[in-house]
Amino acid sequence: MSKKKIGELLKEKGLINEAQINVAIEQQKITGTFLGETLIKLGFVSSKEISECLAEQSGIKYIDLREYPVSEDALRLIPKDIAERGQFMPIDVQEGRIVIGVLDPNNILAIDTVSKYTKLQPVIYIVDSEAYYDTLEKAYFFLENPIKRQIEETVEILKRELIASQISRLTELIIMDGIRKKATDIHITPSEETVHVFYRIDGILQHGFCFPKGAQSGVISKVKVMSELDIAEQRLPQDGSFSFSFLGKNYDMRVSTIPTIYGENIVIRILGGSGPLTRIESLGFDPEETKKLRLLFNKPYGIILITGPTGSGKTTTLYAALREINLLEKNVLTVEDPVEYRLSLVKQTEVNLKAGYDFALAGRNFMRQDPDVMLLGEIRDEETASIAIRASITGHLVLSTLHTNDAVTAIPRLFDLGVDGFLLSSSLLAIIAQRLVRKICPHCKESYQITEKEREFLEFSKISDYPETVYKGQGCKVCSYTGYIGRTAIGEILIIDDEIKKLIVHREATYTIKDVALNRGMKSLIMDGMSKVRSGITTIEEVLRVTG
C-alpha cells in the first residue's frame, strides 16, 4: 500500500481543507520549505497534530515530550550530536530497553544507531518536531549544566562572600531553573533571615531554594536593571518587563515588585513557553460542550467572553476559537498583552502603554480595518466594554476575556463598567468560565474509596451525586512523584438565550440568572469537574482547589 502524503492525511482527518493546502503550496513556492512545515507556519495545523496523524498511520504510539520528563540515564547513553544527526530523542530506560522518540516513523537509521550505541532493544514512539527540538536542546543543556548543583555552589560562595558576578549568576540561574521546571511564575520572597525562591508549576507554588539575605539587594537590583526599573525606588510597587534569550528561544518576562517589611518582593511571570496551538476538542470540554463552542465561534456577530483568574487557560481557549474561524475568508484582528502565539493570517497587535496604545485605542481603530472578527485581549475599562458592544451590534464577532469567578458574575461586572442592559442582552452570545485542573498521572494511577473528609467537602459544596470509588496518582518517577502530569480545562458555558436576555434587560440578581441557566442545562464548574473525577481524569482535591 502506497504511503499517503501529509496533505492528504490531514485532509482526511478533517484538520485542513483544499483551500488551505492551496495557500500553503503558494507560500511553499516562495519559501521552498516542506508542505508540513508551511502548514504549521501558517497556523493551519500544529506540529503535534501532524505527528499524531503520522502515529495513527504508522501504528506507532505518539508521546508528548511536553508532558513526559526525559530520563538522564537515557541521555547519558547517547551523545547529543548522534541523537540530533539521527533525528531521534532518548527518552527513558525501562526493563533493559531504551525508549526513543522519532519524528519520522520510517527512521531506520535511528533504530540502528540506538541498537549499536546502547546494545539495548529500542522502543519507538512518534514525537512532534516542535517538542523534539525544544526538548533536545534543553535536556542535553541541563544534563551538561546541572542547574541544581550550580545554584547550590553559587549559594555556598555567597554565604562566604558577596561577589557581584556570583549575584548576577544566581539571578540568571533562578530564571533558567524556572524555564527548566516549566514554571509560569518565579517568586523571589524575602524573609527575616533568608530569601526564598518559589516556582508556580501547573498552578501550584513549589519551593525551590533559599539564598543568603545579604544577596537580596543585589538580586533585586539585577532584575530591576534588566527590566529598566528604578533601582533607587524601594518604597513603591513597580512593573516592568525584559526579554530573556535561552537556547535560541526568547522568553518575555513580566516583572512586578512590591515593598514588604523584609524588603522588596519580586514576581517574574514567564511568557513565551506556551505549548502548541490546540483545537477546541483538545481543551478538555466534554463532546456536548465542545459542539456548543464550535457553533458559538462560527456565529457572524456578537460577543463571546471567557472568564477566569490569571493562569486559567483563557488565552489557549481564545486561540482554539480562532482556529475554528476560516482565516482565508474572514479578516481577524487581535490586540493582546502580550502576543503569546503567532498566527500568520491573523493581524496581531500588542498593547504598548508607553506609546498610549491600549485595548480601547486598538478597538476603535480596528473598526476602520474592515474586520470580521476582533479579539480584544481583556475588557478592563468602560471604553473597551463600550467598543466591544458597539463592534458586536454592527456585525462583528468580538472575543474577549474578563476577570470574574464564574460565568454569571460577568454580567454585573459589565454593568459596573457602564454597559446598558438592553445593548448587553442583544450583543452577548455566551460567557465561558474556566479553570485548569491537573490530570492524574497515567503511570501511577490507582483507585481508592472516597474519604470522609472529601465527602464532607463535597456535601459542603452542595454536591450530592458523587462516586464512592475515585482515582489518584500514587507518585512515580515520570510525574516527579506529584501524582499528576499535565492539565486540562473544566468549564461552564452560559448561553445567552431569550429567557436570559430578558433577565439581563431587567437586571435580575445573578443567582436568579444562574438558577435559570442551570435549569436550562448549564453545567457549573464544579459539576464539570466532578464529571472528570468520575472519568478518572482528575482528583476531588484538584476540583475543590480550583472551584473553592
Side-chain angles (χ1 to χ4, degrees):
M1 193 174 79
S2 64
K3 189 184 166 194
K4 282 183 185 165
K5 290 181 178 174
I6 192 69
E8 291 169 17
L9 201 61
L10 294 165
K11 197 171 148 190
E12 214 172 78
K13 293 280 291 175
L15 293 171
I16 56 169
N17 57 40
E18 195 63 43
Q20 290 171 323
I21 292 173
N22 291 338
V23 170
I25 289 167
E26 284 298 311
Q27 180 160 314
Q28 194 188 15
K29 284 176 190 171
I30 295 165
T31 60
T33 51
F34 292 117
L35 183 64
E37 204 178 313
T38 308
L39 288 165
I40 292 166
K41 282 187 175 166
L42 283 165
F44 294 152
V45 287
S46 67
S47 61
K48 182 178 177 179
E49 286 162 351
I50 287 182
S51 296
E52 284 172 333
C53 270
L54 288 171
E56 199 174 306
Q57 187 192 39
S58 62
I60 300 170
K61 283 185 180 174
Y62 168 81
I63 195 169
D64 191 346
L65 288 173
R66 299 167 192 84
E67 293 189 356
Y68 197 106
V70 173
S71 151
E72 289 192 354
D73 295 338
L75 292 172
R76 286 193 185 97
L77 291 173
I78 297 162
K80 183 192 172 194
D81 60 327
I82 302 291
E84 203 166 5
R85 209 158 49 233
Q87 294 278 281
F88 67 88
M89 177 87 213
I91 297 172
D92 206 355
V93 180
Q94 295 172 356
E95 298 163 1
R97 298 192 299 173
I98 182 164
V99 177
I100 66 162
V102 294
L103 297 171
D104 181 357
N106 301 309
N107 189 345
I108 307 299
L109 174 67
I111 298 164
D112 291 345
T113 305
V114 169
S115 304
K116 181 181 144 193
Y117 251 85
T118 65
K119 305 288 185 282
L120 297 174
Q121 166 96 25
V123 179
I124 315 294
Y125 285 90
I126 301 276
V127 296
D128 65 273
S129 56
E130 195 180 280
Y132 167 77
Y133 290 111
D134 192 37
T135 308
L136 185 84
E137 290 298 326
K138 281 184 191 169
Y140 279 102
F141 176 84
F142 289 122
L143 180 73
E144 291 156 22
N145 305 277
I147 292 280
K148 196 178 174 201
R149 196 180 71 216
Q150 288 183 32
I151 287 171
E152 285 167 0
E153 287 168 358
T154 309
V155 168
E156 275 304 311
I157 293 167
L158 291 172
K159 274 162 67 178
R160 294 192 298 271
E161 191 182 352
L162 296 173
I163 304 165
S165 62
Q166 291 298 322
I167 288 173
S168 183
R169 176 76 181 136
L170 178 65
T171 311
E172 288 188 357
L173 287 170
I174 288 169
I175 296 167
M176 282 156 63
D177 200 28
I179 293 169
R180 178 179 75 91
K181 290 175 170 172
K182 298 183 178 122
T184 53
D185 300 87
I186 301 168
H187 291 243
I188 301 171
T189 305
S191 64
E192 192 175 357
E193 296 180 321
T194 60
V195 180
H196 295 268
V197 176
F198 290 87
Y199 297 101
R200 188 173 294 281
I201 302 160
D202 283 343
I204 305 287
L205 270 186
Q206 294 181 16
H207 188 264
F209 61 94
C210 301
F211 63 86
K213 186 78 174 166
Q216 180 181 330
S217 61
V219 169
I220 288 168
S221 294
K222 170 75 176 171
V223 173
K224 282 186 170 183
V225 166
M226 291 160 84
S227 316
E228 297 181 1
L229 297 177
D230 183 355
I231 298 175
E233 181 55 78
Q234 295 173 13
R235 301 158 302 166
L236 293 170
Q238 292 187 70
D239 287 311
S241 63
F242 65 92
S243 186
F244 188 80
S245 187
F246 182 61
L247 300 176
K249 189 169 180 179
N250 278 329
Y251 294 84
D252 285 325
M253 304 286 173
R254 294 293 165 104
V255 177
S256 169
T257 76
I258 59 161
T260 76
I261 54 169
Y262 296 122
E264 285 179 284
N265 187 84
I266 285 190
V267 176
I268 304 170
R269 167 145 280 217
I270 304 174
L271 301 162
S274 34
L277 281 172
T278 191
R279 290 184 187 267
I280 282 180
E281 54 269 28
S282 307
L283 292 172
F285 293 96
D286 67 36
E288 198 53 43
E289 305 287 271
T290 300
K291 203 166 149 187
K292 286 180 193 170
L293 290 175
R294 184 161 277 126
L295 291 168
L296 284 166
F297 293 133
N298 277 293
K299 293 275 189 186
Y301 53 84
I303 299 176
I304 300 171
L305 290 175
I306 299 171
T307 74
T310 303
S312 59
K314 296 189 296 294
T315 305
T316 305
T317 302
L318 281 175
Y319 275 91
L322 290 185
R323 295 192 72 194
E324 288 301 310
I325 294 159
N326 187 338
L327 299 178
L328 300 179
E329 292 180 1
K330 290 189 175 178
N331 182 23
V332 180
L333 294 112
T334 80
V335 55
E336 304 163 63
D337 183 21
V339 170
E340 289 186 43
Y341 300 90
R342 294 174 192 274
L343 283 172
S344 285
L345 297 175
V346 174
K347 278 60 79 179
Q348 295 172 278
T349 73
E350 202 163 82
V351 164
N352 184 339
L353 296 178
K354 283 181 184 169
Y357 185 67
D358 59 10
F359 292 119
L361 181 64
R364 276 202 307 278
N365 287 280
F366 280 0
M367 298 296 279
R368 301 187 195 112
Q369 286 274 316
D370 182 31
D372 293 295
V373 181
M374 289 164 52
L375 188 156
L376 305 175
E378 190 185 334
I379 293 177
R380 290 180 182 170
D381 53 42
E382 197 172 321
E383 195 180 356
T384 315
S386 166
I387 288 161
I389 297 282
R390 200 160 61 243
S392 70
I393 58 177
T394 52
H396 306 91
L397 182 66
V398 179
L399 309 175
S400 193
T401 69
L402 205 60
H403 285 276
T404 60
N405 287 330
D406 60 10
V408 178
T409 49
I411 295 165
R413 174 79 185 106
L414 288 165
F415 285 149
D416 287 346
L417 292 173
V419 175
D420 174 77
F422 175 74
L423 290 178
L424 182 60
S425 71
S426 53
S427 60
L428 203 54
L429 290 172
I431 305 164
I432 301 151
Q434 67 177 65
R435 300 286 188 279
L436 291 178
V437 290
R438 291 181 294 170
K439 294 189 289 185
I440 298 168
C441 170
H443 304 277
C444 60
K445 183 175 170 180
E446 61 173 22
S447 62
Y448 72 99
Q449 292 302 111
I450 192 166
T451 66
E452 199 53 46
K453 190 178 177 186
E454 285 171 333
R455 201 187 303 277
E456 284 170 15
F457 270 124
L458 290 171
E459 284 167 4
F460 179 75
S461 302
K462 297 185 172 62
I463 297 288
S464 52
D465 177 25
Y466 51 80
E468 287 298 323
T469 303
V470 288
Y471 299 87
K472 65 178 178 183
Q474 186 65 29
C476 64
K477 188 176 76 170
V478 177
C479 62
S480 305
Y481 302 96
T482 61
Y484 297 99
I485 283 187
R487 291 192 287 177
T488 190
I490 61 168
E492 61 184 26
I493 303 171
L494 172 63
I495 308 277
I496 311 299
D497 59 15
D498 290 343
E499 186 68 30
I500 289 172
K501 281 182 181 182
K502 283 180 201 165
L503 299 174
I504 293 171
V505 171
H506 294 112
R507 298 199 176 211
E508 293 287 352
T510 49
Y511 63 82
T512 307
I513 299 173
K514 187 165 188 173
D515 286 346
V516 170
L518 290 168
N519 289 332
R520 295 176 83 81
M522 182 181 88
K523 277 168 76 175
S524 68
L525 280 166
I526 199 160
M527 285 160 70
D528 190 36
M530 286 310 294
S531 72
K532 288 183 172 62
V533 168
R534 276 185 209 92
S535 306
I537 295 167
T538 191
T539 60
I540 291 173
E541 183 185 20
E542 269 300 282
V543 172
L544 295 174
R545 177 179 71 82
V546 300
T547 61

